[in-house]
Amino acid sequence: MQFANPAYFFLLILLVPFLLWYVFLRNRYETTMKVASTEGYRHLPTTWRTQLVHAPFVLRMFAFVMIVIVLARPQTADPSSEKDVEGIDIMMAMDISVSMLSRDLTPNRIEAAKAVGIEFIAGRRNDNIGLTLFGGEAFTQCPMTTDHAALLSMFKNVNCNLQQNGIIADGTAIGMGLTNAISRLATSKSPSKVVILITDGANNTGDISPLTAADIAKSKGIRVYTIAVGKQGIVKQPVAVLPDGSYQYANVKSDMDPQTLRQIAEQTGGLYYAADNNNKLREIYKDIDHLERVKLKANNYSKRYEAFMPFGLAALFALLLEIMLRLTVLRRIP
C-alpha cells in the first residue's frame, strides 16, 4: 500500500500533547469527590465498568489516527508486468463511392467488406488501427487507436450516404485515400506499418495518382495490401437515386482496375487480392492477419485505486462507540 499525501502523517505529532494532557492534567478539569482517605476503596473488586474507564480516550485516539490515514489517501495498485504481444500499426482505407452498393456480394459490396473488416479488427487486440474513407475525396474517419470499441462503432456506421448526399465529391480517388492513410502512419514508431486498401473501382479523380501514393508509402516503409471488392464484368450497380431515396439498379460493366492495385501492392511489398465473393473476402483478411504479426514487448503499468474507505469506516465506528459508551455505561453525574 502507498499514500498519495504522506505529509499528513505529521499530524500524528498532535497525539503527543493530547496523551500528556490525559496522563498528567486530566484530573484537574474533571469533577471529583474529596474523601478523607481512599484506603477503604483499595480492596474493592474491579468491575468491567472500571476496566472500560479509559476506553473513550483510546477510541478517540484511534479515530484520530484513522482520520489522518484517510487524509494521507492510502492507495493500492495492480502489479506492473511485461509480456510478449503481437501488434502493428494499421490504417484501413475504404472506398465509400456509390458503386460499393453493387449487389454482386451479399448484401452488397460495402456491407460485406464491413462485416469481415469488423471481424478482423476484433481479432487484432494489440494493434493501433485507424480508418480512412474516400470517394471523390478522402478524410480520416478514425485516427489510429487501441480503443477498438470506439473504432468498431464508427466502422459499423460507414455507408455511401456522404457521396449520395453530395457531402463529398463523386468519383473514386484511390490515390487520395491511400495518401491520407499514409499520412497517419508516417510518424509511427512501429516496426510494422500497413495500409489495407479496399476499393471496387478505378482511380478517376483526385490530385494524387495511386502509383505516386505508392511511392510515398514505399519511402515511409509502409506496406499496402490492396483488395479489389466485387466481380469484374457486368454487375448490377446503382445508376440513379429515386424520389424516395432508394437506388435504381441496372446492369453495368464494372470499372475495376486490378492492374493498378496489383502495382501498388508490389511496389510497397504488400499483396494484391481479388474478392469476388464473401468467403473469398473473409479468406483474404485471414491471410493478412497471419502475415502481419510482429512480436512486441508490452508493459502493463500498475493502476492505483483509492483505499481510504476501510479507514474512514473504522474512524466513524470508533467515534460512535465512544459516544455510546459516554452516554450509557460510562455516563457521569454532572
Side-chain angles (χ1 to χ4, degrees):
M1 182 177 290
Q2 51 194 331
F3 297 89
N5 302 317
Y8 279 101
F9 283 117
F10 285 112
L11 290 174
L12 295 177
I13 297 172
L14 296 176
L15 291 176
V16 177
F18 189 36
L19 183 61
L20 293 174
W21 172 86
Y22 187 82
V23 174
F24 297 108
L25 301 176
R26 176 176 59 95
N27 291 335
R28 293 186 183 182
Y29 299 95
E30 293 189 354
T31 303
T32 58
M33 181 177 65
K34 291 184 178 182
V35 294
S37 173
T38 61
E39 189 64 27
Y41 301 100
R42 189 178 299 278
H43 301 291
L44 288 176
T46 303
T47 66
W48 63 272
R49 289 191 179 187
T50 57
Q51 291 176 347
L52 288 177
V53 69
H54 298 297
F57 172 74
V58 174
L59 289 170
R60 188 173 297 182
M61 297 273 282
F62 176 79
F64 180 79
V65 171
M66 293 296 103
I67 290 171
V68 170
I69 293 176
V70 169
L71 292 173
R73 286 182 61 198
Q75 297 176 333
T76 58
D78 292 332
S80 58
S81 63
E82 184 181 88
K83 63 178 180 179
D84 291 326
V85 298
E86 296 176 330
I88 62 175
D89 285 352
I90 300 173
M91 281 299 297
M92 301 182 72
M94 179 171 283
D95 187 350
I96 57 168
S97 57
V98 173
S99 61
M100 287 289 284
L101 293 172
S102 299
R103 294 174 175 171
D104 47 346
L105 273 69
T106 306
N108 54 45
R109 292 174 179 177
I110 193 165
E111 291 300 327
K114 282 168 55 179
V116 181
I118 288 168
E119 293 177 14
F120 176 79
I121 293 169
R124 307 286 302 200
R125 296 180 181 177
N126 300 308
D127 294 338
N128 275 315
I129 305 178
L131 177 63
T132 288
L133 302 179
F134 66 93
E137 50 194 306
F139 61 94
T140 302
Q141 177 74 359
C142 180
M144 284 189 300
T145 179
T146 55
D147 184 357
H148 291 180
L151 173 62
L152 288 171
S153 177
M154 295 182 188
F155 202 89
K156 290 174 183 176
N157 291 322
V158 170
N159 54 57
C160 301
N161 291 346
L162 293 178
Q163 197 169 76
Q164 174 192 346
N165 297 331
I167 298 173
I168 63 172
D170 291 336
T172 304
I174 295 175
M176 297 294 290
L178 180 54
T179 302
N180 180 281
I182 292 167
S183 68
R184 291 293 178 176
L185 290 164
T187 57
S188 168
K189 305 296 184 186
S190 173
S192 183
K193 296 175 283 189
V194 170
V195 174
I196 300 175
L197 178 68
I198 307 154
T199 183
D200 69 340
N203 188 81
N204 53 28
T205 189
D207 298 326
I208 301 175
S209 73
L211 296 182
T212 300
D215 284 334
I216 298 171
K218 183 179 179 180
S219 69
K220 302 290 184 182
I222 299 170
R223 285 186 301 283
V224 182
Y225 291 88
T226 56
I227 303 175
V229 181
K231 298 176 180 178
Q232 298 187 47
I234 303 299
V235 295
K236 186 167 286 190
Q237 285 189 359
V239 293
V241 180
L242 300 175
D244 61 357
S246 62
Y247 289 97
Q248 179 179 346
Y249 284 79
N251 290 325
V252 178
K253 188 176 187 306
S254 175
D255 63 349
M256 197 177 297
D257 184 5
Q259 183 61 34
T260 298
L261 295 180
R262 187 177 284 107
Q263 284 182 265
I264 293 171
E266 292 175 354
Q267 199 166 320
T268 60
L271 293 171
Y272 163 77
Y273 297 95
D276 56 4
N277 60 66
N278 294 56
N279 290 333
K280 181 64 175 177
L281 187 59
R282 185 167 281 103
E283 290 173 8
I284 290 168
Y285 271 105
K286 286 181 180 178
D287 191 28
I288 296 173
D289 185 49
H290 291 309
L291 287 171
E292 291 298 337
R293 294 284 180 180
V294 176
K295 290 285 186 182
L296 300 173
K297 288 285 186 183
N299 293 314
N300 294 323
Y301 296 98
S302 61
K303 183 178 180 180
R304 295 183 180 181
Y305 303 90
E306 299 292 340
F308 65 86
M309 186 62 71
F311 300 99
L313 292 175
L316 179 62
F317 177 77
L319 289 173
L320 291 176
L321 184 57
E322 180 199 353
I323 294 171
M324 185 179 69
L325 289 174
R326 290 189 183 278
L327 294 178
T328 55
V329 297
L330 298 179
R331 185 175 182 182
R332 299 189 179 189
I333 302 172

